[in-house]
Amino acid sequence: MDLGWIEDTCPEGIRLAAAVWVVVWLFIADTAWSADALSTEPAFRPGERLTFVLKWTIIPAGEAVLEVLPRDHIAGGDAYHFALTARSNAFVDAFYMVRDRIDAWADSAVGQSLLYRKKQHEGSTRRDITVSFDWEEMTVQYINHGEVSEPIPIAAGTFDPLSIFYWARSVDLVVGGRIQRPVTDGKKHMLGVAGVVRRETVTVPAGTFDAFLIEPDLALVGGVFEKSPDAKIQLWMTADYRRLPVKLKSKVVVGSFSGELVSMTGTGWPPAVNPSEE
Protein backbone atom coordinates (compact mmCIF):
# COMPACT_ATOMS: atom_id res chain seq x y z
CA MET A 1 0.00 0.00 0.00
CA ASP A 2 1.26 3.47 -0.87
CA LEU A 3 1.47 5.53 2.33
CA GLY A 4 2.83 8.61 0.62
CA TRP A 5 -0.43 10.48 1.18
CA ILE A 6 0.02 10.02 4.93
CA GLU A 7 3.47 11.57 4.84
CA ASP A 8 2.10 14.45 2.75
CA THR A 9 -0.90 15.21 4.95
CA CYS A 10 -0.07 13.93 8.41
CA PRO A 11 2.55 16.53 9.34
CA GLU A 12 -0.16 19.19 9.11
CA GLY A 13 -2.57 16.85 10.80
CA ILE A 14 -0.24 15.98 13.63
CA ARG A 15 0.58 19.63 14.17
CA LEU A 16 -3.13 20.14 14.64
CA ALA A 17 -3.42 17.05 16.80
CA ALA A 18 -0.71 18.34 19.12
CA ALA A 19 -1.92 21.93 19.07
CA VAL A 20 -5.65 21.42 18.84
CA TRP A 21 -6.19 21.56 22.60
CA VAL A 22 -4.29 24.84 22.69
CA VAL A 23 -6.38 26.10 19.79
CA VAL A 24 -9.51 25.08 21.63
CA TRP A 25 -8.47 26.85 24.82
CA LEU A 26 -7.45 29.89 22.82
CA PHE A 27 -10.55 30.11 20.66
CA ILE A 28 -13.22 28.15 22.54
CA ALA A 29 -12.50 27.95 26.22
CA ASP A 30 -11.38 31.56 26.26
CA THR A 31 -14.87 32.40 25.10
CA ALA A 32 -16.67 30.52 27.83
CA TRP A 33 -18.12 33.44 29.77
CA SER A 34 -21.71 34.33 30.53
CA ALA A 35 -23.59 36.67 32.80
CA ASP A 36 -24.93 33.72 34.77
CA ALA A 37 -23.53 32.92 38.19
CA LEU A 38 -20.59 30.60 38.58
CA SER A 39 -21.23 27.13 39.97
CA THR A 40 -20.78 26.84 43.74
CA GLU A 41 -19.34 23.33 43.35
CA PRO A 42 -15.62 23.03 42.58
CA ALA A 43 -15.29 21.81 38.98
CA PHE A 44 -11.80 20.39 39.48
CA ARG A 45 -9.14 19.72 42.09
CA PRO A 46 -5.46 18.74 42.22
CA GLY A 47 -5.11 15.12 41.16
CA GLU A 48 -7.52 15.30 38.24
CA ARG A 49 -6.17 13.61 35.10
CA LEU A 50 -7.98 13.38 31.76
CA THR A 51 -6.56 11.26 28.92
CA PHE A 52 -7.65 11.62 25.29
CA VAL A 53 -7.00 9.59 22.16
CA LEU A 54 -6.21 11.75 19.12
CA LYS A 55 -7.03 10.79 15.53
CA TRP A 56 -6.32 12.39 12.18
CA THR A 57 -9.17 11.30 9.86
CA ILE A 58 -9.32 7.56 10.77
CA ILE A 59 -5.63 7.26 11.72
CA PRO A 60 -4.75 7.03 15.44
CA ALA A 61 -2.24 9.86 15.91
CA GLY A 62 -1.40 10.02 19.58
CA GLU A 63 -2.51 10.97 23.05
CA ALA A 64 -3.20 14.16 25.02
CA VAL A 65 -3.36 14.45 28.81
CA LEU A 66 -4.82 17.29 30.89
CA GLU A 67 -3.81 17.42 34.57
CA VAL A 68 -4.40 19.53 37.66
CA LEU A 69 -1.12 19.31 39.56
CA PRO A 70 -0.45 20.13 43.23
CA ARG A 71 -0.74 23.83 44.02
CA ASP A 72 2.36 26.04 43.79
CA HIS A 73 3.39 29.34 45.39
CA ILE A 74 3.84 32.08 42.75
CA ALA A 75 3.90 35.89 42.92
CA GLY A 76 3.48 35.83 46.69
CA GLY A 77 0.41 33.62 46.78
CA ASP A 78 -1.02 30.17 46.20
CA ALA A 79 -1.56 29.21 42.58
CA TYR A 80 -3.23 26.46 40.61
CA HIS A 81 -0.87 24.51 38.33
CA PHE A 82 -2.32 23.02 35.14
CA ALA A 83 -0.51 20.87 32.56
CA LEU A 84 -1.23 19.65 29.05
CA THR A 85 0.94 17.08 27.27
CA ALA A 86 0.53 15.82 23.71
CA ARG A 87 2.54 13.08 22.04
CA SER A 88 2.33 11.23 18.76
CA ASN A 89 2.20 7.44 18.73
CA ALA A 90 4.93 5.09 17.48
CA PHE A 91 3.52 4.95 13.94
CA VAL A 92 3.50 8.74 13.53
CA ASP A 93 6.87 9.07 15.30
CA ALA A 94 8.48 7.35 12.32
CA PHE A 95 8.01 10.45 10.19
CA TYR A 96 6.78 13.29 12.44
CA MET A 97 7.42 13.08 16.18
CA VAL A 98 5.38 15.28 18.51
CA ARG A 99 6.29 15.82 22.17
CA ASP A 100 4.61 18.96 23.51
CA ARG A 101 4.10 20.13 27.08
CA ILE A 102 2.33 23.20 28.42
CA ASP A 103 2.35 24.32 32.05
CA ALA A 104 0.15 27.17 33.25
CA TRP A 105 -0.41 28.85 36.60
CA ALA A 106 -3.45 30.85 37.69
CA ASP A 107 -4.22 32.60 40.97
CA SER A 108 -6.03 30.69 43.73
CA ALA A 109 -9.39 32.19 42.72
CA VAL A 110 -8.76 31.24 39.05
CA GLY A 111 -9.42 34.87 38.15
CA GLN A 112 -6.33 35.56 36.04
CA SER A 113 -3.15 33.95 34.74
CA LEU A 114 0.23 34.27 36.43
CA LEU A 115 2.65 32.33 34.21
CA TYR A 116 2.58 30.16 31.07
CA ARG A 117 5.27 27.87 29.66
CA LYS A 118 5.32 25.75 26.54
CA LYS A 119 7.96 23.29 25.36
CA GLN A 120 7.25 22.35 21.75
CA HIS A 121 8.83 19.48 19.82
CA GLU A 122 7.04 18.89 16.52
CA GLY A 123 9.13 17.39 13.73
CA SER A 124 12.11 19.73 13.35
CA THR A 125 10.38 22.56 15.23
CA ARG A 126 11.65 23.38 18.72
CA ARG A 127 10.26 26.14 20.93
CA ASP A 128 10.81 26.93 24.60
CA ILE A 129 8.24 29.60 25.41
CA THR A 130 7.60 31.55 28.58
CA VAL A 131 4.77 34.08 28.88
CA SER A 132 5.03 36.31 31.96
CA PHE A 133 2.09 38.33 33.28
CA ASP A 134 2.73 41.72 34.93
CA TRP A 135 -0.53 42.78 36.54
CA GLU A 136 0.87 46.00 37.96
CA GLU A 137 1.74 47.20 34.46
CA MET A 138 -1.19 45.33 32.84
CA THR A 139 1.15 43.75 30.27
CA VAL A 140 2.33 40.33 29.17
CA GLN A 141 5.74 39.40 27.73
CA TYR A 142 6.61 36.55 25.35
CA ILE A 143 10.03 34.86 25.51
CA ASN A 144 11.21 32.04 23.21
CA HIS A 145 14.64 30.44 23.73
CA GLY A 146 15.71 33.56 25.62
CA GLU A 147 14.64 35.95 22.85
CA VAL A 148 12.50 38.57 24.58
CA SER A 149 9.65 40.29 22.76
CA GLU A 150 8.19 43.68 23.64
CA PRO A 151 5.41 43.52 26.24
CA ILE A 152 1.85 43.91 24.99
CA PRO A 153 -1.10 45.37 26.94
CA ILE A 154 -3.78 43.09 28.34
CA ALA A 155 -7.20 43.55 29.88
CA ALA A 156 -8.14 42.76 33.46
CA GLY A 157 -8.90 39.08 33.97
CA THR A 158 -6.96 37.88 30.92
CA PHE A 159 -5.92 34.24 30.84
CA ASP A 160 -3.38 32.14 28.97
CA PRO A 161 -4.71 29.50 26.52
CA LEU A 162 -4.67 26.68 29.10
CA SER A 163 -5.72 28.33 32.38
CA ILE A 164 -8.74 29.87 30.69
CA PHE A 165 -10.16 26.43 30.09
CA TYR A 166 -10.16 25.62 33.80
CA TRP A 167 -11.79 28.95 34.61
CA ALA A 168 -14.45 28.26 31.97
CA ARG A 169 -15.33 24.95 33.61
CA SER A 170 -16.90 26.83 36.55
CA VAL A 171 -19.22 28.91 34.34
CA ASP A 172 -22.90 28.21 33.77
CA LEU A 173 -23.73 27.52 30.11
CA VAL A 174 -27.08 28.22 28.44
CA VAL A 175 -28.17 26.77 25.10
CA GLY A 176 -28.39 29.58 22.55
CA GLY A 177 -26.10 31.84 24.52
CA ARG A 178 -23.13 33.78 23.10
CA ILE A 179 -20.08 33.71 25.35
CA GLN A 180 -16.75 35.56 25.47
CA ARG A 181 -13.52 36.17 27.43
CA PRO A 182 -10.09 37.84 26.85
CA VAL A 183 -7.06 35.58 26.35
CA THR A 184 -3.45 35.91 25.25
CA ASP A 185 -0.63 33.65 24.11
CA GLY A 186 1.89 36.45 24.74
CA LYS A 187 1.91 37.57 21.11
CA LYS A 188 -1.75 38.42 20.62
CA HIS A 189 -4.48 39.59 22.95
CA MET A 190 -8.03 38.97 21.81
CA LEU A 191 -11.65 38.56 22.79
CA GLY A 192 -13.05 35.32 21.47
CA VAL A 193 -16.71 34.58 20.84
CA ALA A 194 -18.50 31.23 20.79
CA GLY A 195 -22.00 29.82 20.89
CA VAL A 196 -23.56 27.12 23.05
CA VAL A 197 -25.31 25.19 20.27
CA ARG A 198 -27.27 22.49 22.07
CA ARG A 199 -27.34 19.94 24.85
CA GLU A 200 -27.14 16.27 23.87
CA THR A 201 -25.91 12.83 24.86
CA VAL A 202 -22.46 11.91 23.56
CA THR A 203 -20.63 8.58 23.79
CA VAL A 204 -16.83 8.26 23.94
CA PRO A 205 -14.53 5.46 25.15
CA ALA A 206 -14.76 6.79 28.72
CA GLY A 207 -18.55 6.48 28.80
CA THR A 208 -21.79 8.22 27.83
CA PHE A 209 -22.35 11.79 28.98
CA ASP A 210 -24.97 14.54 29.02
CA ALA A 211 -23.03 17.38 27.37
CA PHE A 212 -23.14 20.88 25.89
CA LEU A 213 -21.90 21.37 22.33
CA ILE A 214 -19.86 24.56 21.96
CA GLU A 215 -18.71 26.07 18.64
CA PRO A 216 -16.34 29.06 18.38
CA ASP A 217 -16.37 31.89 15.89
CA LEU A 218 -13.23 31.24 13.82
CA ALA A 219 -13.19 34.64 12.10
CA LEU A 220 -10.02 35.69 13.93
CA VAL A 221 -8.28 32.33 13.84
CA GLY A 222 -5.29 32.13 11.51
CA GLY A 223 -3.23 29.26 10.10
CA VAL A 224 -4.95 26.26 8.59
CA PHE A 225 -8.34 27.45 9.88
CA GLU A 226 -7.96 30.69 7.91
CA LYS A 227 -7.27 28.68 4.75
CA SER A 228 -10.41 26.57 5.21
CA PRO A 229 -13.63 28.43 4.33
CA ASP A 230 -15.74 25.67 5.91
CA ALA A 231 -13.51 25.19 8.96
CA LYS A 232 -15.26 24.21 12.15
CA ILE A 233 -14.30 23.24 15.69
CA GLN A 234 -16.75 21.55 18.03
CA LEU A 235 -16.23 20.81 21.72
CA TRP A 236 -18.49 18.75 23.98
CA MET A 237 -18.36 19.53 27.73
CA THR A 238 -20.38 17.66 30.34
CA ALA A 239 -23.50 19.39 31.63
CA ASP A 240 -22.76 18.57 35.28
CA TYR A 241 -20.80 20.92 37.53
CA ARG A 242 -17.46 19.39 36.43
CA ARG A 243 -17.74 20.64 32.82
CA LEU A 244 -15.42 17.86 31.66
CA PRO A 245 -14.26 18.03 28.02
CA VAL A 246 -15.20 14.66 26.55
CA LYS A 247 -15.00 15.10 22.77
CA LEU A 248 -13.46 17.42 20.20
CA LYS A 249 -13.88 17.55 16.43
CA SER A 250 -12.33 19.87 13.87
CA LYS A 251 -12.72 20.16 10.13
CA VAL A 252 -10.12 21.97 8.00
CA VAL A 253 -8.89 21.98 4.43
CA VAL A 254 -6.44 19.08 5.01
CA GLY A 255 -8.96 16.78 6.64
CA SER A 256 -10.60 16.18 10.00
CA PHE A 257 -9.29 15.71 13.52
CA SER A 258 -10.91 14.25 16.62
CA GLY A 259 -10.07 13.77 20.27
CA GLU A 260 -12.08 11.63 22.69
CA LEU A 261 -11.84 11.06 26.42
CA VAL A 262 -10.63 7.54 27.18
CA SER A 263 -9.94 7.68 30.92
CA MET A 264 -10.28 10.00 33.90
CA THR A 265 -9.23 10.04 37.55
CA GLY A 266 -9.80 12.52 40.37
CA THR A 267 -12.94 13.95 38.75
CA GLY A 268 -15.38 13.86 41.67
CA TRP A 269 -18.77 12.22 41.47
CA PRO A 270 -19.57 10.31 38.26
CA PRO A 271 -21.77 11.48 35.35
CA ALA A 272 -25.49 10.78 35.53
CA VAL A 273 -25.73 8.86 32.25
CA ASN A 274 -24.11 5.42 31.99
CA PRO A 275 -20.89 6.37 33.83
CA SER A 276 -17.62 4.57 33.26
CA GLU A 277 -15.64 3.30 36.19
CA GLU A 278 -12.80 5.57 37.21
Side-chain angles (χ1 to χ4, degrees), residues 158-239:
T158 296
F159 283 95
D160 64 75
L162 180 55
S163 294
I164 187 65
F165 165 67
Y166 285 93
W167 176 86
R169 287 176 56 185
S170 298
V171 176
D172 286 337
L173 301 176
V174 178
V175 174
R178 299 286 289 175
I179 47 185
Q180 60 186 22
R181 182 74 183 188
V183 66
T184 182
D185 62 356
K187 295 166 50 171
K188 292 182 179 180
H189 178 267
M190 63 176 291
L191 185 69
V193 179
V196 182
V197 179
R198 60 180 176 268
R199 184 170 174 171
E200 62 188 9
T201 300
V202 60
T203 299
V204 296
T208 299
F209 301 87
D210 178 19
F212 287 106
L213 169 59
I214 301 173
E215 294 184 358
D217 182 349
L218 298 179
L220 299 178
V221 182
V224 69
F225 296 100
E226 186 178 32
K227 301 172 185 176
S228 307
D230 298 324
K232 179 183 287 190
I233 298 178
Q234 297 176 304
L235 174 68
W236 285 262
M237 297 174 67
T238 61

Side-chain angles (χ1 to χ4, degrees), residues 97-115:
M97 180 180 288
V98 171
R99 296 290 187 273
D100 288 351
R101 181 182 174 96
I102 294 173
D103 288 272
W105 290 264
D107 66 0
S108 60
V110 195
Q112 62 189 22
S113 286
L114 301 174
L115 183 65

Side-chain angles (χ1 to χ4, degrees), residues 28-112:
I28 298 180
D30 63 334
T31 66
W33 175 91
S34 75
D36 297 325
L38 299 182
S39 169
T40 57
E41 296 284 353
F44 54 83
R45 66 193 70 179
E48 181 186 89
R49 178 183 174 96
L50 308 176
T51 302
F52 302 83
V53 61
L54 308 177
K55 291 184 179 180
W56 182 250
T57 62
I58 62 172
I59 305 169
E63 177 184 271
V65 178
L66 282 166
E67 294 183 272
V68 183
L69 300 176
R71 291 199 186 196
D72 280 340
H73 194 76
I74 292 181
D78 289 337
Y80 273 102
H81 183 186
F82 310 118
L84 164 64
T85 56
R87 59 184 296 138
S88 51
N89 59 25
F91 172 69
V92 174
D93 281 350
F95 53 90
Y96 195 84
M97 180 180 288
V98 171
R99 296 290 187 273
D100 288 351
R101 181 182 174 96
I102 294 173
D103 288 272
W105 290 264
D107 66 0
S108 60
V110 195
Q112 62 189 22

Side-chain angles (χ1 to χ4, degrees), residues 1-31:
M1 180 189 298
D2 182 6
L3 296 180
W5 68 276
I6 295 178
E7 295 182 2
D8 290 340
T9 61
C10 257
E12 184 66 41
I14 301 308
R15 281 194 293 272
L16 282 173
V20 71
W21 295 103
V22 178
V23 172
V24 168
W25 313 148
L26 188 56
F27 298 110
I28 298 180
D30 63 334
T31 66

Side-chain angles (χ1 to χ4, degrees), residues 116-120 127-131 142-144:
Y116 175 82
R117 289 177 176 159
K118 178 179 180 180
K119 290 187 179 292
Q120 183 180 11
R127 292 189 177 94
D128 189 350
I129 296 166
T130 297
V131 178
Y142 177 94
I143 304 170
N144 182 23

